[in-house]
Amino acid sequence: MKSVRFLLRCGAAVSTLAWSTAAWSQAAPDPNAKPVDEAAAQQLAPEPVAESAAEPEPAPPPAPPPPTLSDQIGAGKLILEVRSRYETVDQTRTATLREKGDAFTVRTRVGWETAEFKAVKGLVEFEDVRQVGNEHYAVNVPGATTPPLNGADKARYPIINDPDVTELNRAQLTWTPNAAVQITAGRQRILLDDQRFVGNVGWRQDEQTFDAVRADLSYGRLKATYAYVTHINRILGELRDWDSDSHLFNATWSPAEALRVQGFVYALDFGNSAINSSLTKGVKASGKTWLGLYQVAYNATFARQSDYHRNTADYALDYLSADIAGTFDIYSVKLAYESLEGDGARGFTTPLATVHAFNGWSDAFVSPGGNKSFVDGIKDLNLSLNVKPRFRATYFFNIDLIVRYHDFTSERTGVDLGHEWNLQYTAAITTKLSVQLKYADFERAKTVPVGTAAPPASRTKTWLTLEYKF
């Protein structure tokens, strides 16, 4: 028994010694081990993680200085337009008017519009109109009985009102402090609505501009424009401009695409053209909607005109127009009616309008001051077709074709005055160059009853225009 206990004690002692020896062998180096290559060991050992030094964050770049006035002038954009036109007029001959008229003119506009500086932009533009070749046309105030402005010998030709002129066309400052207000002061272009009452007469080579202060206001669906005009720079150069003390007001409320309501007041007072001074007040409703695949658009306008300030004649005349147009794919058809009242002594006038766009492109119904009016008034019923083919070539695209027929009658007597055909073809050659061929043929009524004013003379006009816009 003693021997068994002795053996157990010896086993425990041996186990303890073995465990202690193993533990020591892990902690202490083996004296019999071969030396280790330190270089190899360093290659085998993992790279120590270096504690990154705290680097200071880079300072933000300094804010750029605000642009100066000269910076914003230089950052503006160039205005460059060149329009060349050949026009022919063949009008019924008289003892005075004995020949056909033709003119080749070139209009050049050069200007600069600045970038915005403290909510203000500036614009300067010059315009030059030059005749090329022979001067086989007369320049005169429409409806005038005085000799042509380019010489009495030119009375044998029809009127083509594109005289040689070089002038400051626009010089304006525009301040836009926010999205609701814009103020423009200086010589400027004013286009209101469809230009039936106020426009730039853009068809003629010498543009009509206005020396004025204009305010455009916007609040939600309501927009309004007011302009005070001190001078009218008309299409015949500075010698036939009008001094003005006129007020233009137009306000539009657009509750929906199908309804747009407009009210306007144009109080025109011209110091050197009293016959064209007038007060016109009116309302207009317009809109468009879709009926299946067809888009339908409409306009209806009523206005009343009366004498104002320097125009001492006492009169009151009405204006009424309405049209409806339908568009399907590339086709549009429009039926329009317009009535300008006349009392036998004068007709309803629109002296600041772009009148070429209304009552026929032949501009047959001229009256003193450049209006299209008639002492007995005009009723114009017209139908037009507009086609925009999809044909597109590298240098031939955006084609637009218009055919229109006008039937004119006297507003006061209801007598037939004549009819007119209008044709127009426009196409783009490049994104900046376009060509247009245009034709107008007015045929007056052969006879009218006694007591009705005689209609204007028959005439045919053709234009070929090439226009470049930078």
Side-chain angles (χ1 to χ4, degrees):
M1 188 67 178
K2 289 181 180 180
S3 60
V4 174
R5 284 198 293 267
F6 176 76
L7 290 174
L8 291 174
R9 289 192 184 112
C10 288
V14 171
S15 299
T16 302
L17 180 61
W19 182 84
S20 301
T21 303
W24 174 255
S25 67
Q26 292 178 6
D30 185 356
N32 298 321
K34 295 181 179 180
V36 178
D37 186 352
E38 291 185 2
Q42 287 179 1
Q43 290 180 0
L44 294 173
E47 288 286 339
V49 179
E51 186 175 320
S52 60
E55 296 182 1
E57 294 184 2
T68 63
L69 176 59
S70 59
D71 290 337
Q72 295 306 87
I73 293 175
K77 63 180 181 179
L78 175 68
I79 300 170
L80 175 60
E81 299 177 10
V82 180
R83 184 168 77 180
S84 59
R85 174 181 290 156
Y86 177 70
E87 178 175 350
T88 66
V89 181
D90 190 3
Q91 189 169 317
T92 300
R93 306 294 195 269
T94 66
T96 302
L97 198 159
R98 305 184 304 275
E99 298 186 37
K100 177 181 177 180
D102 65 274
F104 180 48
T105 56
V106 178
R107 182 190 72 192
T108 305
R109 289 181 186 158
V110 179
W112 190 262
E113 183 179 22
T114 72
E116 187 176 284
F117 179 73
K118 296 185 178 180
V120 177
K121 283 186 177 183
L123 186 151
V124 176
E125 178 185 74
F126 293 90
E127 180 180 75
D128 177 78
V129 180
R130 291 294 115 187
Q131 160 210 331
V132 180
N134 296 321
E135 194 177 43
H136 293 162
Y137 59 94
V139 175
N140 210 344
V141 177
T145 57
T146 53
L149 303 178
N150 56 337
D153 62 314
K154 303 301 180 183
R156 67 182 188 272
Y157 299 112
I159 289 177
I160 299 178
N161 271 339
D162 291 325
D164 287 354
V165 61
T166 301
E167 63 183 6
L168 179 64
N169 195 47
R170 290 188 289 168
Q172 66 185 55
L173 291 175
T174 302
W175 177 50
T176 311
N178 52 57
V181 178
Q182 184 176 84
I183 309 294
T184 305
R187 182 163 295 184
Q188 58 189 281
R189 179 182 295 147
I190 300 180
L191 312 177
L192 297 183
D193 194 38
D194 60 359
Q195 303 183 53
R196 187 61 185 97
F197 293 91
V198 181
N200 68 333
V201 195
W203 174 246
R204 298 266 46 114
Q205 296 285 55
D206 182 13
E207 181 181 23
Q208 175 173 278
T209 58
F210 303 79
D211 294 352
V213 176
R214 170 178 174 169
D216 291 286
L217 309 175
S218 177
Y219 182 76
R221 299 179 182 274
L222 181 65
K223 293 183 179 181
T225 296
Y226 167 77
Y228 174 67
V229 183
T230 62
H231 195 79
I232 313 296
N233 307 288
R234 303 179 66 236
I235 66 169
L236 296 179
E238 296 179 358
L239 295 179
R240 293 300 179 269
D241 288 351
W242 288 343
D243 296 327
S244 173
D245 182 17
S246 302
H247 304 266
L248 312 176
F249 176 75
N250 185 300
T252 302
W253 177 53
S254 304
E257 187 178 39
L259 179 61
R260 181 172 172 262
V261 181
Q262 183 181 130
F264 53 87
V265 178
Y266 305 130
L268 311 181
D269 187 16
F270 306 122
N272 53 342
S273 186
I275 192 173
N276 287 293
S277 298
S278 62
L279 176 63
T280 303
K281 304 175 183 178
V283 293
K284 179 178 180 178
S286 60
K288 57 184 178 181
T289 188
W290 286 90
L291 298 177
L293 298 177
Y294 300 88
Q295 185 184 63
V296 179
Y298 72 93
N299 293 277
T301 305
F302 174 79
R304 169 155 288 193
Q305 185 174 95
S306 59
D307 50 285
Y308 183 69
H309 277 203
R310 292 182 175 88
N311 194 336
T312 56
D314 184 13
Y315 71 94
L317 301 170
D318 291 341
Y319 170 89
L320 177 65
S321 71
D323 64 71
I324 185 167
T327 300
F328 174 73
D329 197 29
I330 65 172
Y331 305 98
S332 295
V333 177
K334 182 177 180 179
L335 179 64
Y337 171 80
E338 189 172 39
S339 172
L340 296 88
E341 187 180 2
D343 59 12
R346 68 172 291 147
F348 189 103
T349 61
T350 55
L352 299 184
T354 301
V355 293
H356 177 77
F358 303 88
N359 306 134
W361 296 338
S362 73
D363 296 325
F365 289 93
V366 294
S367 61
N371 300 292
K372 276 188 180 175
S373 67
F374 191 58
V375 293
D376 282 348
I378 309 170
K379 288 184 178 181
D380 176 10
L381 180 65
N382 60 85
L383 178 67
S384 61
L385 171 65
N386 185 200
V387 183
K388 298 181 178 180
R390 292 192 182 87
F391 176 81
R392 184 181 181 91
T394 303
Y395 297 107
F396 195 73
F397 54 96
N398 290 353
I399 300 171
D400 193 302
L401 301 170
I402 299 175
V403 180
R404 181 174 297 147
Y405 175 79
H406 293 264
D407 183 68
F408 300 106
T409 57
S410 167
E411 188 277 333
R412 187 175 69 89
T413 65
V415 170
D416 177 36
L417 298 177
H419 63 269
E420 178 170 330
W421 282 99
N422 293 158
L423 305 172
Q424 179 178 287
Y425 168 86
T426 306
I429 300 173
T430 69
T431 55
K432 297 179 180 179
L433 182 65
S434 63
V435 63
Q436 183 182 85
L437 179 62
K438 193 169 181 176
Y439 173 83
D441 179 28
F442 171 74
E443 185 70 27
R444 63 167 283 172
K446 300 300 182 184
T447 59
V448 294
V450 176
T452 296
S458 299
R459 65 201 69 197
T460 299
K461 297 186 178 184
T462 306
W463 303 267
L464 177 61
T465 304
L466 195 64
E467 185 167 16
Y468 173 84
K469 291 186 178 182
F470 181 74

